[in-house]
């Protein structure tokens, strides 16, 4: 294998390994994470009384990351395949076949490295009492140590959504 083919293969392998860290961690779904469209907007806020805290697991779709990994793998594989296909044979046909074969193998590699369709992240089940005395439960992305019994702020961007803000910001220690 020539130096260029070796460098190309190394680049493809490095990119594939980098894609392996693309699993969705659920940070977008945390109660204290806001999209750009939610910033500088007024939202309904209530105080609630947290009366129960339990760990939970939250299933998060990893489809977007899988598709990105497949596309990146296919592109990198096609480039590597074309480079390897033209190594000893300078015909366009060999490069094209190498590119197609490399793209197919790269897409399969990207798919394998991207991880499962669904990933799981730390969550917390919070049982709370609202101002009207109703006892309700919600699941949030986060860790139980970020919450404590007592008063907490609940943001409700929509009537069906409850985003209870962490009321124990240093409960998990300083390293998060």
């Amino acid at each position: 294998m020539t130096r260029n083919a070796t460098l190309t293969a190394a680049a493809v392998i490095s990119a594939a390994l980098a894609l392996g860290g693309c699993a969705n961690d659920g940070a977008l779904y945390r109660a204290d994470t806001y999209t750009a469209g939610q910033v500088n907007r007024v939202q309904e806020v209530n105080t609630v009384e947290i009366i129960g805290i339990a760990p939970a697991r939250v299933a998060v779709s990893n489809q977007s990351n899988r598709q990105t990994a497949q596309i990146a793998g296919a592109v990198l594989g096609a480039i590597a395949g074309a480079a390897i296909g033209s190594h000893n044979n300078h015909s366009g046909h060999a490069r094209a076949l190498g590119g197609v074969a490399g793209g197919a193998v790269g897409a399969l590699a990207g798919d394998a490295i991207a991880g499962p369709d669904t990933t799981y992240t730390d969550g917390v089940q919070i049982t709370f009492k609202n101002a009207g005395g109703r006892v309700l439960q919600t699941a949030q992305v986060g860790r139980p140590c970020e919450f404590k019994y007592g008063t907490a702020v609940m943001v409700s961007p929509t009537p069906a959504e409850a985003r209870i803000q962490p009321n124990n910001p240093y409960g998990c220690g300083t390293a998060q």
Side-chain angles (χ1 to χ4, degrees):
M1 190 179 272
T2 68
R3 185 178 194 295
N4 285 342
T6 303
L7 290 174
T8 303
V12 169
I13 291 168
S14 297
L17 291 173
L19 289 172
C22 292
N24 189 343
D25 67 357
L28 176 65
Y29 302 108
R30 288 183 51 89
D32 55 358
T33 299
Y34 295 90
T35 64
Q38 292 172 316
V39 175
N40 298 328
R41 297 220 172 191
V42 175
Q43 297 182 41
E44 177 88 23
V45 175
N46 294 296
T47 56
V48 296
E49 194 71 21
I50 295 178
I51 59 174
I53 302 167
R57 299 293 288 158
V58 178
V60 180
S61 173
N62 198 33
Q63 284 299 319
S64 177
N65 291 329
R66 286 179 58 81
Q67 289 170 351
T68 300
Q70 287 173 337
I71 292 168
V75 169
L76 292 170
I79 292 168
I84 292 168
S86 68
H87 171 58
N88 284 331
N89 185 350
H90 297 290
S91 76
H93 185 54
R95 275 191 289 257
L97 282 176
V100 169
V105 170
L108 289 172
D111 186 53
I113 290 171
D117 291 340
T118 303
T119 58
Y120 297 89
T121 189
D122 289 336
V124 60
Q125 296 176 55
I126 302 171
T127 305
F128 63 97
K129 190 181 290 190
N130 68 11
R134 290 184 61 203
V135 176
L136 304 164
Q137 187 270 335
T138 184
Q140 311 271 304
V141 171
R143 298 182 293 168
C145 58
E146 295 176 282
F147 299 89
K148 64 182 178 182
Y149 295 101
T151 304
V153 172
M154 182 177 72
V155 179
S156 299
T158 66
E161 192 173 350
R163 296 172 62 136
I164 297 179
Q165 303 302 300
N167 65 348
N168 194 25
Y170 303 108
C172 300
T174 55
Q176 293 188 26

